[in-house]
Amino acid sequence: MTTEVSPSQTPLWYTLQTDKSVELLGSDRQTGLSSEEAVQRQQQYGLNELEETGGRSSWEILLDQFKNIMLIMLIAVAIISGVLEVIDLRSGNAPSDGIPFKDTIAILSIVILNGILGYVQESRAEKALAALKNLASPRVRVLRDGRISEIDAKDLVPGDVMLVEAGVQISADGRLLEAANLQVREAALTGEAHAVVKQASAELPQDASLGDRLNMVFQGTEVVNGRGNVLVTATGMRTELGKIATLLQGVESEPTPLQQRMDQLSKVLVSGALALVAIVVVGGVLARGFGQLREFLEVSLSMAVAVVPEGLPAVITVTLALGTQRMVRRHALIRKLPAVETLGSVTTICSDKTGTLTQNKMVVQSVHPLASSLEVTGEGYIPEGQFFHPGETSPVTAPDRADLQALLLACVLCNDAALQKEKGDWAIIGDPTEGALLVVGGKANLLKEPLNNQLPRVNEYPFSSERKRMSVVVKDATGEMHRQFPALLSQDAPMVMFCKGSPELVLERCYQVMIDDRVEDLTEAQRQQILEQNNQLAGRGLRVLGFAAKPLTQMPPDDEDKAEQGMIWLGLVDMLDAPRPEVRDAVARCRTAGIRPVMITGDHQLTARAIAEDLGIAYPGDEVLTGRELERMDKAELEQAVDRVGIYARVAPEHKLRIVQALQNRGKIAAMTGDGVNDAPALKQADIGIAMGITGTDVSKEASDMVLLDDNFATIVSAVEEGRVVYTNIRRFIKYILGSNIGEVLTIAASPLLVSGGVPLTPLQILWMNLVTDGLPALALAVEPAEPNVMRRPPHDPKESIFARGLGMYMVRIGIVLAIIAISLMVWAYNYSQGNGDPQRWKTMVFTTLCLAQMGHALAIRSNSRLTIELNPFTNPFLLLAVGLTSALQLLLIYVPPLRDFFGTHYLTPFELLVCIGFSSLMFVWVELEKLFFRLYFKNREEKVRSQ
């Protein structure tokens, strides 16, 4: 088979009949393409992917690194430093070390290095995002080799026959071959929000606009109702979406709330630095005149550099990136960076039941024609098992019971799933509930493929969340099936409609019932018996479906409500989707962490209650709110209800939007799960929209902040824990970095008042501390494992300041302590060095003491409450490595002559080095004593409260 249409040809497919389109593309509407032909066409047409356009170029990414206000300030410091050296050179004052413009070159080098590191980080981030996008690559159902297969959307080729249904985002352009109540939202292309009703047989003129091409579907649009078979006519950049892709401009990533706070912090720090420069220079000139302007400029430049935490933006970015990577390893794919922070503040998790709280492997437990009930054996999707009367050991031969046979026939034919054996294992393609119905039919030797040939589908009314049922019309194609099913088919009525759905809704449309091989009028007592049986089954946590049939002499009307009247009740089928075993522990962790789990399901309220109580989401006697009750509530009533209701049953997807809005109006931070098209509004509205990676539709994934790669509730809880750890670590290294900076500034500011001989730290040395001495331990603190109480405390307010909960006071307090230690050392070292060799060694001693004190601070700050001796040092080996490496590098600056000359340090004797180590260790001791003090303080306060 070879294609007759080359990639360069673009026939007006919407003007052609379906058979002509199939012929031109060399395909077959019944079998699709062969695997070999598909491979050949992929080589000819390429992958079905849109080329990335509108993103930033490499040069733009690089230039953006130098727009950071703190780097701009460093550039200004470098320029001023260079100007001062030019003045010195013109005055005949050569540098003492013989290296001109050392500070300027070093500062500009660090600025360039910072820019390059940022460029590498962003480039890797973009590649990582592309890789994560591939993880969530959509799957499509196609006909290949005469069988239904699931393939990656990128592997579609022209000529493929693609199967689409409600909830699917269409992956290629195509000509409709069949359409059953197919409605597609084409806002991505036309801008029109309403769904378009598609018709496979429509004949259209050549000038039909894109929105009027009713027999075509297009890549990127959404199926909101019905199903259809599509002949793929264009893929990749040849689709209508591909034609406009090159016109799209790249959209910059939304900054996270934390990034916005950091940007504001940067502006405050830079403003503060400029204010300090002005105060020092202006105040010094007014006090001492212009004769000491040079000294004032040097002091102010050093203070300006000390104020700014140059390494902080890079550490923030790396921390968020590491957080997303850890979440991926725990099966949570973060689509939007703000989710990393917001997850740590979630107060309510609203979860679907099926597949998220349960295993999503439905297995029919029993079937219930009105005359009697039968239990079913077997496991999984293997169509092998037997039927037993309750309490009996002899199996029932299924075909000998006409009502049971009719009920199982409805299970198989009123069904859109497929049961296939692949590589020795039975698998379901489609909805697990429908798959379970195919399996129970297979146990009675009623298989879908042969039945479809004998009783082909001629019409259908698809399932929707509003109707909560679906119906199909089948026809006796051979004229012989009425002999096997005389109660449903006859020569006068060769068609039958089967209906399945919510038992209450199906039952209210039935006026007769099938008992054994007879059809009788349905009495009110029988109706109550069926409803009571349904409630008992649902109360045991079983999912229950009702089935009905209606013999037809002619095709029913298009109005589904009229067509589904006057049916014959066939019976109930119940199935079990067992809870995931790990969810119970996850729910318990939620409650311990101050997070309220809420179940939202379309299932019966008794089923929902049974599962919720089993998992610990609800307790006996807790209120259950149904969709009908929710409909009757106004906004204020619902807002009052959401604080107490933990189970919502029989709800439609649009109800989720009202629930999440009500929670947010009550000040809750809500996470909401969803997998369907209609879940998208609620996912977008929620603070964290969570889509299902396995069962979720493409539309729900696009609307979400996070995708569960395993559809597991426990993964949500793990992601919340990671979010809390990320935010805790960010606060930890911020107080480490800024506390150190405050100490540096105070030390520099005090030096002209206490000693003579200039400032103890040059701009180059301060940059070394801010980028290396601060930066390496800060990066190590970013991977500090979770503290034991991270999931034993309530969530923090996401709107709180970064300095909330005492962090700001801690930084000021530690900065003052560090300054006192450094100033004390400075005064002693200055007096000591004046009479012992090199009189400038006091500056190196101050420099070394500040650096080593920060190492002690880094070791002590790992925990806010536990002493360092109580921590396992090897739970964060990166911190030990960072402290050891940074300390070694600091010693190299003192004892390696070329580095000593470049950084302007002086040789220290062993005694002087020991003095520096002694003074710097006081920082570690202070932080440990602080923790011990606060521990005793809070312990005594708790004891007083208890005694009262």
Side-chain angles (χ1 to χ4, degrees), residues 653-707:
E654 56 267 23
H655 293 148
K656 287 186 175 182
L657 180 60
R658 291 192 62 197
I659 293 170
V660 74
Q661 288 173 334
L663 286 167
Q664 290 172 329
N665 291 339
R666 298 290 292 177
K668 311 299 183 184
I669 307 300
M672 174 71 76
T673 68
D675 56 7
V677 175
N678 291 338
D679 290 330
L683 294 179
K684 288 182 179 179
Q685 177 70 38
D687 298 282
I688 293 290
I690 304 171
M692 302 297 107
I694 299 174
T695 61
T697 60
D698 303 326
V699 179
S700 64
K701 292 174 185 176
E702 287 298 319
S704 67
D705 301 292
M706 182 173 84
V707 177

Side-chain angles (χ1 to χ4, degrees), residues 7-21:
S8 61
Q9 293 175 304
T10 54
L12 301 177
W13 300 105
Y14 55 89
T15 65
L16 304 178
Q17 294 293 328
T18 55
D19 291 340
K20 182 63 175 177
S21 299

Side-chain angles (χ1 to χ4, degrees), residues 631-907:
E631 287 279 5
R632 294 193 292 267
M633 288 183 171
D634 60 24
K635 181 179 177 181
E637 290 173 332
L638 182 58
E639 288 180 11
Q640 292 296 322
V642 293
D643 282 340
R644 64 178 187 273
V645 176
I647 309 172
Y648 298 86
R650 282 286 188 253
V651 297
E654 56 267 23
H655 293 148
K656 287 186 175 182
L657 180 60
R658 291 192 62 197
I659 293 170
V660 74
Q661 288 173 334
L663 286 167
Q664 290 172 329
N665 291 339
R666 298 290 292 177
K668 311 299 183 184
I669 307 300
M672 174 71 76
T673 68
D675 56 7
V677 175
N678 291 338
D679 290 330
L683 294 179
K684 288 182 179 179
Q685 177 70 38
D687 298 282
I688 293 290
I690 304 171
M692 302 297 107
I694 299 174
T695 61
T697 60
D698 303 326
V699 179
S700 64
K701 292 174 185 176
E702 287 298 319
S704 67
D705 301 292
M706 182 173 84
V707 177
L708 295 184
L709 301 180
D710 58 358
D711 289 11
N712 193 338
F713 179 86
T715 301
I716 303 175
V717 182
S718 298
V720 169
E721 179 181 2
E722 288 291 352
R724 290 188 174 191
V725 171
V726 166
Y727 188 61
T728 300
N729 285 345
I730 287 173
R731 285 173 53 89
R732 179 178 288 116
F733 66 65
I734 282 177
K735 67 181 183 181
Y736 166 70
I737 291 175
L738 294 185
S740 302
N741 284 21
I742 291 172
E744 294 169 19
V745 171
L746 294 176
T747 302
I748 295 169
S751 60
L753 303 176
L754 300 175
V755 298
S756 60
V759 293
L761 302 173
T762 66
L764 179 59
Q765 292 171 349
I766 295 170
L767 279 176
W768 170 265
M769 286 195 293
N770 288 354
L771 292 173
V772 178
T773 309
D774 287 351
L776 291 178
L779 285 173
L781 289 171
V783 295
E784 183 69 26
E787 292 199 48
N789 68 338
V790 70
M791 292 296 282
R792 297 176 188 168
R793 59 164 177 79
H796 297 307
D797 185 352
K799 297 179 182 179
E800 71 176 12
S801 165
I802 194 71
F803 304 116
R805 290 178 278 123
L807 187 143
M809 287 301 298
Y810 176 91
M811 291 188 308
V812 173
R813 187 170 65 249
I814 290 300
I816 293 173
V817 171
L818 180 59
I820 291 172
I821 293 171
I823 291 170
S824 301
L825 178 280
M826 178 175 64
V827 173
W828 180 90
Y830 178 80
N831 293 322
Y832 170 82
S833 64
Q834 299 308 305
N836 293 276
D838 186 353
Q840 297 296 316
R841 277 182 297 178
W842 68 274
K843 296 182 179 180
T844 301
M845 293 182 71
V846 173
F847 179 35
T848 303
T849 299
L850 283 171
C851 291
L852 296 181
Q854 291 177 37
M855 297 304 97
H857 187 203
L859 291 172
I861 208 173
R862 287 186 61 194
S863 174
N864 296 329
S865 56
R866 291 183 294 165
L867 300 177
T868 303
I869 197 172
E870 297 172 337
L871 300 173
N872 183 347
F874 299 106
T875 54
N876 188 352
F878 300 104
L879 182 60
L880 294 177
L881 180 63
V883 168
L885 178 60
T886 305
S887 300
L889 290 173
Q890 181 65 27
L891 294 179
L892 292 179
L893 300 189
I894 301 172
Y895 297 110
V896 176
L899 293 176
R900 189 166 63 228
D901 293 339
F902 184 79
F903 280 90
T905 58
H906 299 263
Y907 179 87

Side-chain angles (χ1 to χ4, degrees), residues 306-325:
V307 165
V308 178
E310 291 84 3
L312 185 58
V315 177
I316 293 283
T317 303
V318 170
T319 303
L320 293 174
L322 291 174
T324 61
Q325 291 174 10

Side-chain angles (χ1 to χ4, degrees), residues 546-589:
F547 289 82
K550 181 180 180 180
L552 300 169
T553 58
Q554 59 185 4
M555 192 68 71
D558 292 336
D559 187 331
E560 56 204 23
D561 194 53
K562 291 182 179 178
E564 295 170 333
Q565 295 291 343
M567 295 187 292
I568 302 170
W569 177 259
L570 298 180
L572 298 169
V573 174
D574 64 70
M575 57 192 74
L576 176 66
D577 183 9
R580 292 178 181 264
E582 65 273 20
V583 169
R584 292 183 183 88
D585 289 339
V587 169
R589 292 181 67 205

Side-chain angles (χ1 to χ4, degrees), residues 181-233:
N181 294 335
L182 185 65
Q183 298 179 32
V184 180
R185 184 179 292 116
E186 298 181 338
L189 291 176
T190 65
E192 295 294 335
H194 66 273
V196 179
V197 178
K198 295 293 183 176
Q199 302 172 12
S201 60
E203 295 183 11
L204 303 173
Q206 292 186 6
D207 60 354
S209 66
L210 194 66
D212 293 330
R213 297 173 192 174
L214 303 182
N215 55 17
M216 298 285 293
V217 295
F218 305 103
Q219 183 182 29
T221 60
E222 309 156 14
V223 180
V224 297
N225 198 14
R227 65 171 187 85
N229 289 1
V230 178
L231 176 70
V232 175
T233 57

